[in-house]
Amino acid sequence: MKNENRKSNKTKLINNLYKSLYRIRTIEEKIALIYPTDQIKSPVHLSIGQEAVTVGACAALLEADVVFGTYRGHSLYLAKGGDLNGMMAELYGKSTGVAGGKGGSMHLVDTNRGIMGMSAVVATTIPQAAGYAYAFKVMKQNNIVVSFFGDGATEEGVFHETLNFAALKKLPMIFVCENNQYAVLSHQSERQSNTNIAERASVYGMHSEKIDQNDPYTIYEKVNWARNQIIEKGRGPFFFECMTERYREHVGPSERDDIKTLSAEIVDPLQQLSKLVSSDFKQNVFKEVDLELKQAINFAEKSAFPAKDSLYKDVYA
Amino acid sequence: MKNENRKSNKTKLINNLYKSLYRIRTIEEKIALIYPTDQIKSPVHLSIGQEAVTVGACAALLEADVVFGTYRGHSLYLAKGGDLNGMMAELYGKSTGVAGGKGGSMHLVDTNRGIMGMSAVVATTIPQAAGYAYAFKVMKQNNIVVSFFGDGATEEGVFHETLNFAALKKLPMIFVCENNQYAVLSHQSERQSNTNIAERASVYGMHSEKIDQNDPYTIYEKVNWARNQIIEKGRGPFFFECMTERYREHVGPSERDDIKTLSAEIVDPLQQLSKLVSSDFKQNVFKEVDLELKQAINFAEKSAFPAKDSLYKDVYA
Amino acid sequence: MPKSNINTRSISYAEAINEATRQLMSQDESVFVLGIGVDDPRGIYGTTSNLSREFGQDRVVNMPLAEDAITGIASGSSMAGMRPIVVHERMDFMLLAMNQLINVAAKSHYMYGGAVKVPMVVRSIIGRSWGQGAQHSQALQSFFMHVPGLKVIAPTTPYDAKGALVASIKDDNPVIFIEHRMLHNYKGQVPKDLYSVPFGKARILRAGHDITIVGISHAMVECIRAAKSLATSSISAEVIDPISLSPLDVQTICESVEKTGNLLIVDNGWTTCGASAEIMSLVIENVQGQDKVNMKRMGFEFVTSPTTKILEDLYYPDSRRIAKAGYDLLMGKETDWEPDVQESPEIDEFKGPF
Amino acid sequence: MPKSNINTRSISYAEAINEATRQLMSQDESVFVLGIGVDDPRGIYGTTSNLSREFGQDRVVNMPLAEDAITGIASGSSMAGMRPIVVHERMDFMLLAMNQLINVAAKSHYMYGGAVKVPMVVRSIIGRSWGQGAQHSQALQSFFMHVPGLKVIAPTTPYDAKGALVASIKDDNPVIFIEHRMLHNYKGQVPKDLYSVPFGKARILRAGHDITIVGISHAMVECIRAAKSLATSSISAEVIDPISLSPLDVQTICESVEKTGNLLIVDNGWTTCGASAEIMSLVIENVQGQDKVNMKRMGFEFVTSPTTKILEDLYYPDSRRIAKAGYDLLMGKETDWEPDVQESPEIDEFKGPF
Ligand SMILES: Cc1ncc(C[n+]2csc(CCOP(=O)(O)OP(=O)(O)O)c2C)c(N)n1
Ligand SMILES: Cc1ncc(C[n+]2csc(CCOP(=O)(O)OP(=O)(O)O)c2C)c(N)n1
Ligand SMILES: [Mg+2]
Ligand SMILES: [Mg+2]
């Protein structure tokens, strides 16, 4: 590939990353604004500040690649291409929501986009991701699975059980830890004897790396490289610990008041990207996102609540 | 201490180790002989071949130090000073057994000797040991806890959860993994992506070491050193992976037929020690153990079965 | 339960739990609290607030996310003579600790022939409302009732919350102490001093003679409301709060049923193999051969808890449906009687996130 | 159930399970087996023997000791279109997997509004005898019956074992498939071909008109023996095997009870909040207002399982005690009738270790 081509590819990618990040930030900030109106009767765990991880990682994935996440899932859902209308309606508890109003903010899903689900119980989707990757492996499907989880999840036993299994079976998957250093109000150092999560993962015999930048492009590059290693060389699994920062409360719309200053080293990814993108491009993005979001809110508001008898549907397949 | 003194101390210790190991080996071989008579209606998991670990480690402990173990617990129980009559009677299901016949071979206990219990569910006593050590720490009691478990147990999530907690709280405890390389018939390499258990433990930020020799004296020295570090310097926890070998089936009295030859590097600890002990001393040990064992079997045989109404006792304290 | 007097004052259910914990921690050094977020400023809905400041971090131990180990650590410490109180912000998380609770803690005393004791309390909170959904609203009391070696207690009033927690901490067995998020803000008269509410003793919260209504945990609040509705149609309901689910006070329930001839059991939980099935079976076994009794169970609909409010409201038995069920049971058939609408302010006013 | 014919032959319960698995694995590539020791030469008591040779280690996956992850791995793979069969050598180990089973697998289909399916089977074996004791003999069927989203099946004959396993593997939901160690060696006529035994359909194993006896899992074997004892006193017992516990065929049981007026439910498990409480409650709810029915539950004594045989024998309901209970129930009082002693060869002949 010529140098110029490569450069223009990079520009395109940066533009896309910017757009994705701006879009998610804007949507979540809007959710925070709507929240006090009580139309969203669901506990929302916002990713504001830490979108870089899911935005960067998902930029390296194909639609048929699969992700699993947590209750803090809006950003992952949107970055992986999940339908915004379906998400908004789900938050509003409407029948047109991705889970028909039965899942709410914590259980987003969009199987057409490879978004296989999110759980309110910490660490529970980690082994599920490995199971999905096992299926890819035996079915010889050329796709990968990415498991997203927080720093707190790495304390749960099942995290360790899954890393061992994934490494043992050389699964086509990537573990991505969104390390915002907190579990609710508890800092990592209160909970972990060794806060270097990438190091802890490395002993299972897999490539494991800490990414300090909170920068979607860096994360994209790493995940893209790992994905290629898996698809082309049959290597895997890979582990990335991505240092990041959550700006809002653990749950709910408010700004954090539990930490005075955010870590100095960690930069706001949106501000950073913003410098790399033309203002024309940005103006377009602003408009597009604004329109899309208005329509989605309108869709959610106008949609009907589920019929009463749907209470009894889908208990069994 | 003078050199001679030190030497004679070492001789004494070797003699004691020999005696303890010979005694345990003899008792378990006797159990294997009795087993086909069906007087012991309990699944027995023999330690024959791997006694060095518990014998060596317990030689470094005081009576008030506490141990937790597994269903493969005869050797630990005896090495820590557990009452032989009570154990034999327990195997026979008699009321005079340490658990009144309710526990059997897999649940030996002798609280007076700091033997706090053994579980048939793999890895379950590991966090209990940490809890006990936590109590020692906050009660400022100058004793330590040792948690014994197999290589298979290190695959369970709770192992990881406990190591993190123990290292985080700097607990006065030692983890001792009896690595016989097998879980039932499954070799470590079929189950673990990284079979170096000591290395896996080290990432929690604790001193962790692999001991290859299957030699009680080496294990004694390491555990003794660690115990001193804990008591004198407030350090802890420590982790030792002790390579060893089980000669019998996973459960039951028979010789193994699943592996043709035992690992060449691992030596039989009894044969090794035997070379270091005078034949007079040995003759005495033979006699003593023979007598003690005869009496214990007699005690077990003569004891009564539990009264029927004891079924309903001790459900609640 | 005491009337208001000089030594009592009105405090909330959450404050009552906090107070019981604080008083016992002051009295007994071996009592300590452990769990995820127990020293967090929000103090598990206020139930553990300020304890860490008063007793230090060694006795109010913020734990890593590791429910199975936490439970084993608690039981291990209890074997060393301590009296741990484990706290789970949601009962659902106990599913991660079933092995240590049921395979180990419940069995230790028996399996070791009485040689060890495992005094420990496991507090957990049933969630509800504001889209808690599938994984944050389970009520698993029947699991623990099913297992010998465990005690299970689910107080509904601030008075009982304090006294039952005291009894639980003093008990030498593993005790599952069940709270409900919708009860935490309820106020009631609570003595300042320490006192115990004993296991195995039900409380008649409202006397009556036409129908016996047994309500468990938050369902009790709805049962009281239902009883008021029924009263408007001159039906006198006796409302019984078992408080202690294991051991269970069958006698008080049976005596009431012998009087009323009608029994409605309303659990805050699923009915299949639930506490309500157990109570119904026990009553049958005790009163059979005597007079005919009409019986009915109510509980969560047998589906997974949905998040959207319109479905959630249908998922839980409310006072209206309870009253109607009681009325129809009494009449022996489906009627078109419609109860007064009773408000459930604790639910309507509750706003997220948790 | 078929009489012996050209297409059936006598094989054991364990062989029936092995055969169902093998036939479905041949037919459907997505079916695979995973669990601790599944490729071990002993093949989980013969139930998985030779499968790994035939289908390879990718489809018969020996797993690390990690029950919670194993369950999550299974459900994750099922979301990708596979049909995993998880095997636990002891049901007790499922307590390590409750989170993945109940918080995740049982709820996924509903909580995601039908967007995903989780077809998976979890086989587990109830242990007994030879000092299995506290942690190797639990029977936790009621836990799974309690939870919407799970199906629960506990066949007792080789015929039903094969057919029910086929139905379980073909089902699109998480299915808890319960075996009993004392049933594995039982032989019976089993067709060579594939067939399904449907969920939610009980089987009348012995017709009768004086008393209805419902037996679950291994207790069924003792119930048949008890029925024979009762027959010597001219009491005709109808013995019903529910086979499927969730969904449960209440109708067949109620029809029998309406005929006999007497119901004895014998579970292989604890009774408190157990399957027997559920069945009793369902029958009450269905037949009340009609004729009077005498009812009784039996199950494990409400203690932890002891190891020594003398206590173990008292812990389990045996055919003698079942027959006596049936007789007394029928007579409406305690009598001094003594049943024939019936042998339980599967228990007396079973020798350790496992
Ligand atoms: C098994 C379990 N334990 C406890 C909780 C309560 N809880 C919800 S979120 C959370 C913190 C998780 O922290 P982390 O994994 O770092 O994710 P983050 O919220 O920072 O994205 C806790 C403790 C839970 N949901 N599940
Ligand atoms: C939680 C759990 N899973 C599975 C088993 C079945 N099982 C009993 S012993 C054993 C092997 C354990 O191996 P290891 O920890 O190495 O101990 P060893 O037997 O070698 O002493 C297994 C899998 C069990 N008892 N508990
Ligand atoms: Mg975090
Ligand atoms: Mg081993």
Side-chain angles (χ1 to χ4, degrees):
Chain A
M1 200 175 2
K2 291 226 195 77
N3 236 355
E4 270 155 54
N5 253 342
R6 205 181 293 145
K7 212 182 136 193
S8 99
N9 275 346
K10 177 160 179 182
T11 309
K12 235 187 252 165
L13 188 69
I14 295 275
N15 282 346
N16 284 341
L17 292 172
Y18 173 81
K19 182 176 170 185
S20 177
L21 213 158
Y22 173 84
R23 176 171 173 265
I24 294 170
R25 175 76 53 98
T26 307
I27 292 168
E28 285 212 311
E29 284 176 342
K30 186 71 185 179
I31 290 171
L33 282 176
I34 299 171
Y35 205 68
T37 68
D38 290 355
Q39 288 172 282
I40 297 174
K41 292 189 181 59
S42 180
V44 291
H45 300 76
L46 303 176
S47 293
I48 296 175
Q50 61 181 68
E51 311 93 334
V53 186
T54 41
V55 165
C58 291
L61 304 183
L62 299 186
E63 195 165 85
D65 291 335
V66 159
V67 299
F68 283 85
T70 75
Y71 50 87
R72 195 178 304 290
H74 304 163
S75 180
L76 172 60
Y77 176 90
L78 295 169
K80 185 66 174 60
D83 172 51
L84 178 62
N85 282 350
M87 169 176 142
M88 272 299 175
E90 189 59 39
L91 267 60
Y92 277 69
K94 298 297 179 76
S95 61
T96 52
V98 282
K102 285 176 174 165
S105 160
M106 303 197 286
H107 306 295
L108 300 176
V109 68
D110 188 342
T111 55
N112 295 326
R113 307 305 171 100
I115 302 159
M116 284 304 155
M118 296 160 189
S119 171
V121 182
V122 169
T124 47
T125 59
I126 304 177
Q128 292 192 293
Y132 214 106
Y134 187 77
F136 274 167
K137 191 181 167 99
V138 299
M139 302 186 315
K140 302 204 187 344
Q141 184 171 330
N142 255 342
N143 283 101
I144 72 162
V145 179
V146 187
S147 166
F148 292 87
F149 48 86
D151 48 298
T154 71
E155 293 150 32
E156 292 284 358
V158 76
F159 167 75
H160 149 99
E161 294 179 356
T162 307
L163 260 55
N164 178 43
F165 177 76
L168 183 70
K169 300 292 176 190
K170 303 204 184 341
L171 297 186
M173 73 182 293
I174 303 176
F175 295 96
V176 175
C177 177
E178 300 184 60
N179 186 353
N180 61 15
Q181 298 147 77
Y182 280 86
V184 194
L185 291 167
S186 168
H187 189 263
Q188 238 192 315
S189 57
E190 296 174 60
R191 302 176 278 114
Q192 298 177 9
S193 62
N194 174 4
T195 56
N196 190 330
I197 295 171
E199 188 189 340
R200 292 203 328 259
S202 71
V203 290
Y204 294 94
M206 63 179 96
H207 176 97
S208 179
E209 201 178 330
K210 198 188 192 75
I211 304 174
D212 277 318
Q213 289 83 344
N214 201 24
D215 163 45
Y217 189 74
T218 313
I219 293 164
Y220 157 78
E221 276 196 313
K222 295 285 185 190
V223 172
N224 191 46
W225 166 78
R227 189 182 187 285
N228 286 336
Q229 293 281 313
I230 293 170
I231 298 295
E232 284 158 24
K233 308 212 171 133
R235 290 183 61 200
F238 290 80
F239 192 101
F240 297 110
E241 176 189 6
C242 302
M243 300 309 295
T244 190
E245 197 90 57
R246 149 168 78 72
Y247 296 171
R248 302 284 168 130
E249 286 183 322
H250 168 69
V251 56
S254 314
E255 307 275 341
R256 285 174 77 164
D257 56 5
D258 59 316
I259 43 170
K260 296 277 159 335
T261 49
L262 301 174
S263 322
E265 321 88 66
I266 294 188
V267 295
D268 182 60
L270 187 58
Q271 279 173 26
Q272 290 298 104
L273 279 179
S274 180
K275 295 178 198 154
L276 307 177
V277 177
S278 77
S279 81
D280 273 7
F281 183 80
K282 281 193 266 190
Q283 290 308 321
N284 263 329
V285 167
F286 296 167
K287 266 189 236 152
E288 263 182 59
V289 170
D290 193 53
L291 185 66
E292 189 196 4
L293 186 49
K294 276 214 183 88
Q295 286 173 341
I297 291 169
N298 193 40
F299 175 80
E301 285 178 351
K302 294 274 156 66
S303 292
F305 284 108
K308 293 192 171 183
D309 67 354
S310 75
L311 179 67
Y312 303 98
K313 287 194 183 134
D314 292 328
V315 181
Y316 293 93
Chain B
M1 198 174 3
K2 291 227 195 77
N3 235 356
E4 271 154 56
N5 254 344
R6 203 180 296 145
K7 212 181 137 194
S8 100
N9 275 346
K10 175 158 180 183
T11 309
K12 234 186 254 164
L13 188 69
I14 296 274
N15 281 346
N16 284 342
L17 291 172
Y18 173 81
K19 183 175 168 185
S20 177
L21 213 159
Y22 173 82
R23 177 172 171 265
I24 294 169
R25 175 76 55 97
T26 307
I27 292 167
E28 285 213 309
E29 283 177 343
K30 187 70 183 179
I31 290 170
L33 281 178
I34 298 170
Y35 205 69
T37 67
D38 290 354
Q39 290 173 281
I40 298 174
K41 291 189 182 60
S42 180
V44 291
H45 301 75
L46 302 177
S47 292
I48 295 174
Q50 62 181 68
E51 311 92 334
V53 186
T54 42
V55 166
C58 291
L61 303 182
L62 299 186
E63 195 165 84
D65 291 336
V66 158
V67 299
F68 284 84
T70 75
Y71 50 87
R72 195 180 303 291
H74 304 163
S75 181
L76 172 59
Y77 176 90
L78 294 169
K80 186 64 174 56
D83 172 52
L84 179 61
N85 282 351
M87 168 177 144
M88 271 298 174
E90 189 59 38
L91 267 60
Y92 278 70
K94 298 297 178 76
S95 61
T96 52
V98 284
K102 285 175 174 166
S105 160
M106 302 197 287
H107 305 296
L108 299 176
V109 67
D110 188 343
T111 56
N112 295 325
R113 307 305 171 99
I115 302 159
M116 284 304 155
M118 295 161 190
S119 170
V121 183
V122 169
T124 47
T125 59
I126 303 177
Q128 293 192 291
Y132 213 107
Y134 187 76
F136 274 166
K137 192 181 167 99
V138 300
M139 303 186 315
K140 302 205 188 343
Q141 184 172 331
N142 255 342
N143 282 101
I144 72 163
V145 178
V146 186
S147 167
F148 292 87
F149 49 85
D151 48 297
T154 71
E155 293 149 30
E156 292 284 358
V158 76
F159 166 75
H160 150 97
E161 294 179 355
T162 306
L163 261 56
N164 178 42
F165 176 76
L168 183 70
K169 300 291 175 191
K170 303 204 186 336
L171 298 186
M173 72 182 293
I174 304 177
F175 295 94
V176 175
C177 176
E178 300 184 61
N179 186 353
N180 60 16
Q181 297 147 79
Y182 280 86
V184 193
L185 291 167
S186 168
H187 189 264
Q188 238 191 314
S189 57
E190 295 174 62
R191 302 177 279 116
Q192 298 177 7
S193 62
N194 174 5
T195 56
N196 190 329
I197 295 170
E199 189 189 339
R200 291 202 331 257
S202 71
V203 289
Y204 295 94
M206 64 178 94
H207 176 97
S208 179
E209 200 178 331
K210 197 189 193 75
I211 304 175
D212 276 319
Q213 289 83 344
N214 201 25
D215 163 45
Y217 188 75
T218 312
I219 293 164
Y220 156 79
E221 275 195 313
K222 295 284 185 189
V223 172
N224 191 46
W225 165 78
R227 189 182 187 286
N228 286 336
Q229 294 280 314
I230 292 170
I231 299 294
E232 284 157 24
K233 309 212 171 132
R235 290 183 61 202
F238 290 80
F239 191 101
F240 297 110
E241 176 189 5
C242 302
M243 301 308 295
T244 188
E245 197 91 57
R246 150 168 76 73
Y247 295 172
R248 302 284 168 132
E249 288 183 319
H250 168 68
V251 55
S254 315
E255 308 274 342
R256 286 173 79 164
D257 57 4
D258 59 316
I259 42 171
K260 296 276 155 338
T261 51
L262 301 173
S263 321
E265 323 87 67
I266 293 188
V267 295
D268 182 61
L270 187 59
Q271 279 174 26
Q272 291 297 106
L273 279 179
S274 179
K275 294 179 197 152
L276 308 176
V277 175
S278 77
S279 81
D280 274 7
F281 182 81
K282 281 193 266 191
Q283 291 307 323
N284 264 331
V285 167
F286 296 166
K287 266 188 239 151
E288 264 181 58
V289 169
D290 193 51
L291 184 67
E292 188 197 4
L293 186 48
K294 277 212 183 88
Q295 286 172 342
I297 292 169
N298 193 39
F299 175 80
E301 285 178 352
K302 294 274 156 67
S303 292
F305 284 109
K308 292 191 170 185
D309 66 356
S310 74
L311 179 67
Y312 302 99
K313 287 193 183 134
D314 293 327
V315 181
Y316 293 94
Chain C
M1 237 181 316
K3 299 255 169 277
S4 146
N5 75 27
I6 190 157
N7 279 316
T8 79
R9 69 279 185 248
S10 172
I11 61 175
S12 75
Y13 188 100
E15 286 163 339
I17 286 177
N18 189 294
E19 183 170 278
T21 312
R22 206 177 63 244
Q23 289 180 344
L24 276 174
M25 286 182 81
S26 308
Q27 198 179 73
D28 180 350
E29 281 226 316
S30 63
V31 178
F32 76 113
V33 177
L34 70 168
I36 300 168
V38 290
D39 71 345
D40 171 319
R42 299 166 316 161
I44 313 284
Y45 316 123
T47 62
T48 62
S49 296
N50 301 318
L51 297 177
S52 114
R53 201 186 315 142
E54 191 169 343
F55 300 104
Q57 297 200 323
D58 277 358
R59 292 182 64 201
V60 182
V61 195
N62 183 25
M63 296 294 284
L65 281 68
E67 286 79 1
D68 199 32
I70 290 172
T71 313
I73 287 163
S75 77
S77 77
S78 78
M79 289 164 74
M82 297 190 73
R83 294 191 167 272
I85 306 171
V86 176
V87 189
H88 295 284
E89 212 170 342
R90 285 280 172 281
M91 196 172 201
D92 314 70
F93 307 154
M94 290 180 79
L95 289 170
L96 282 146
M98 296 301 268
N99 178 44
Q100 282 292 335
L101 278 173
I102 295 180
N103 274 337
V104 186
K107 299 186 170 34
S108 292
H109 187 63
Y110 192 90
M111 160 172 111
Y112 295 128
V116 307
K117 283 182 192 160
V118 185
M120 62 189 276
V121 179
V122 182
R123 286 181 45 207
S124 73
I125 296 154
I126 301 169
R128 172 163 174 185
S129 194
W130 205 263
Q132 305 296 300
Q135 300 175 324
H136 275 40
S137 59
Q138 284 170 101
L140 305 170
Q141 48 274 25
S142 71
F143 285 9
F144 305 109
M145 294 170 67
H146 187 58
V147 178
L150 298 176
K151 295 190 178 179
V152 184
I153 196 148
T156 61
T157 66
Y159 177 87
D160 287 334
K162 179 172 176 183
L165 185 55
V166 170
S168 301
I169 298 171
K170 291 192 167 175
D171 199 275
D172 274 343
N173 298 285
V175 176
I176 311 297
F177 186 94
I178 300 172
E179 303 160 37
H180 193 292
R181 185 69 189 101
M182 298 294 123
L183 293 174
H184 276 149
N185 299 336
Y186 262 92
K187 296 206 164 195
Q189 290 295 319
V190 174
K192 288 182 185 154
D193 293 340
L194 267 186
Y195 60 93
S196 274
V197 166
F199 286 95
K201 192 79 205 73
R203 197 181 290 293
I204 299 174
L205 283 184
R206 188 185 164 107
H209 46 76
D210 293 326
I211 179 170
T212 303
I213 304 184
V214 176
I216 295 173
S217 186
H218 177 260
M220 172 50 60
V221 178
E222 300 286 11
C223 289
I224 295 279
R225 290 180 185 127
K228 288 182 190 154
S229 275
L230 288 168
T232 64
S233 290
S234 306
I235 293 174
S236 150
E238 178 145 295
V239 182
I240 300 178
D241 180 354
I243 307 175
S244 163
L245 297 174
S246 180
L248 185 75
D249 179 0
V250 206
Q251 203 190 330
T252 298
I253 298 172
C254 286
E255 279 166 12
S256 175
V257 171
E258 278 166 17
K259 183 172 65 181
T260 65
N262 294 288
L263 172 63
L264 177 62
I265 311 158
V266 190
D267 193 5
N268 184 87
W270 289 305
T271 55
T272 309
C273 297
S276 58
E278 179 59 25
I279 293 172
M280 189 178 274
S281 300
L282 283 171
V283 171
I284 290 291
E285 288 167 332
N286 277 279
V287 308
Q288 83 186 338
Q290 301 167 30
D291 290 342
K292 184 170 148 301
V293 181
N294 292 313
M295 303 199 193
K296 188 179 167 65
R297 307 177 273 176
M298 295 177 81
F300 299 169
E301 292 298 306
F302 195 62
V303 305
T304 298
S305 171
T307 53
T308 188
K309 189 161 170 30
I310 192 167
L311 297 182
E312 203 186 39
D313 285 345
L314 297 168
Y315 175 71
Y316 293 105
D318 60 17
S319 62
R320 222 188 48 74
R321 265 170 286 151
I322 295 168
K324 176 98 176 94
Y327 190 94
D328 290 359
L329 190 70
L330 212 64
M331 299 303 149
K333 61 171 198 290
E334 264 189 53
T335 66
D336 50 15
W337 181 75
E338 279 298 329
D340 278 10
V341 177
Q342 297 272 339
E343 304 289 328
S344 302
E346 76 283 8
I347 291 164
D348 298 333
E349 288 162 14
F350 185 82
K351 281 188 187 180
F354 283 97
Chain D
M1 238 178 316
K3 300 254 170 275
S4 146
N5 74 29
I6 190 156
N7 279 316
T8 78
R9 70 281 184 242
S10 174
I11 61 174
S12 75
Y13 188 100
E15 286 163 338
I17 286 176
N18 189 293
E19 183 169 279
T21 313
R22 206 178 64 244
Q23 289 180 343
L24 276 174
M25 286 182 80
S26 308
Q27 199 178 72
D28 179 351
E29 281 225 316
S30 63
V31 178
F32 76 113
V33 177
L34 71 168
I36 301 168
V38 290
D39 70 346
D40 172 319
R42 299 166 316 162
I44 314 283
Y45 316 124
T47 61
T48 61
S49 296
N50 301 319
L51 296 177
S52 112
R53 200 185 317 140
E54 192 168 341
F55 300 104
Q57 298 200 322
D58 277 357
R59 292 183 63 203
V60 182
V61 195
N62 183 26
M63 296 295 284
L65 280 68
E67 285 80 359
D68 199 33
I70 290 171
T71 313
I73 287 163
S75 76
S77 76
S78 79
M79 288 164 75
M82 297 190 73
R83 296 191 167 269
I85 306 171
V86 177
V87 188
H88 295 283
E89 214 171 340
R90 286 280 173 282
M91 196 172 202
D92 314 69
F93 307 154
M94 289 180 80
L95 289 170
L96 281 147
M98 297 300 268
N99 178 44
Q100 281 292 336
L101 278 172
I102 294 179
N103 275 335
V104 185
K107 299 185 169 37
S108 292
H109 187 63
Y110 192 90
M111 159 172 113
Y112 295 127
V116 306
K117 282 183 193 160
V118 185
M120 63 189 276
V121 179
V122 183
R123 286 182 45 208
S124 73
I125 296 154
I126 301 168
R128 171 160 176 189
S129 193
W130 205 264
Q132 304 296 301
Q135 300 174 324
H136 275 41
S137 60
Q138 284 170 101
L140 304 171
Q141 48 274 25
S142 71
F143 285 9
F144 306 109
M145 293 169 69
H146 187 59
V147 178
L150 298 177
K151 295 190 179 179
V152 184
I153 196 150
T156 61
T157 65
Y159 177 86
D160 286 333
K162 179 172 175 182
L165 184 55
V166 170
S168 301
I169 298 171
K170 291 191 169 178
D171 198 277
D172 273 344
N173 298 285
V175 176
I176 310 297
F177 186 93
I178 301 173
E179 303 160 37
H180 193 293
R181 185 68 189 101
M182 298 294 124
L183 294 174
H184 276 148
N185 299 336
Y186 263 92
K187 296 206 164 195
Q189 289 295 319
V190 174
K192 288 181 186 155
D193 293 341
L194 266 186
Y195 60 93
S196 275
V197 166
F199 287 95
K201 192 79 205 72
R203 198 182 288 294
I204 299 174
L205 283 184
R206 189 185 164 108
H209 45 76
D210 293 325
I211 179 170
T212 304
I213 304 183
V214 175
I216 296 173
S217 187
H218 178 260
M220 173 49 60
V221 178
E222 301 285 11
C223 289
I224 295 279
R225 290 182 185 125
K228 288 183 190 155
S229 274
L230 287 168
T232 64
S233 289
S234 305
I235 292 174
S236 150
E238 178 144 296
V239 183
I240 300 179
D241 180 354
I243 306 174
S244 163
L245 297 173
S246 180
L248 185 76
D249 179 1
V250 206
Q251 203 189 328
T252 298
I253 297 173
C254 286
E255 279 166 12
S256 176
V257 171
E258 277 166 18
K259 182 173 65 182
T260 65
N262 293 289
L263 172 63
L264 177 62
I265 311 156
V266 191
D267 193 5
N268 184 87
W270 290 304
T271 55
T272 308
C273 297
S276 58
E278 179 60 23
I279 293 172
M280 188 177 275
S281 300
L282 285 171
V283 170
I284 290 291
E285 288 167 331
N286 278 278
V287 308
Q288 83 186 339
Q290 300 167 32
D291 290 341
K292 183 168 148 301
V293 181
N294 292 313
M295 301 199 195
K296 188 178 165 66
R297 306 178 274 176
M298 296 178 81
F300 298 170
E301 292 298 306
F302 195 62
V303 304
T304 298
S305 171
T307 53
T308 188
K309 189 161 169 30
I310 193 166
L311 298 182
E312 203 186 40
D313 286 345
L314 297 167
Y315 175 71
Y316 292 104
D318 60 17
S319 63
R320 223 189 46 76
R321 264 171 286 152
I322 296 168
K324 175 99 175 95
Y327 190 94
D328 290 358
L329 190 71
L330 212 65
M331 299 303 150
K333 61 172 197 292
E334 264 189 53
T335 66
D336 51 14
W337 180 74
E338 280 297 330
D340 278 8
V341 178
Q342 297 271 339
E343 304 289 329
S344 301
E346 76 283 8
I347 291 164
D348 299 332
E349 287 162 15
F350 186 81
K351 282 189 188 181
F354 283 98

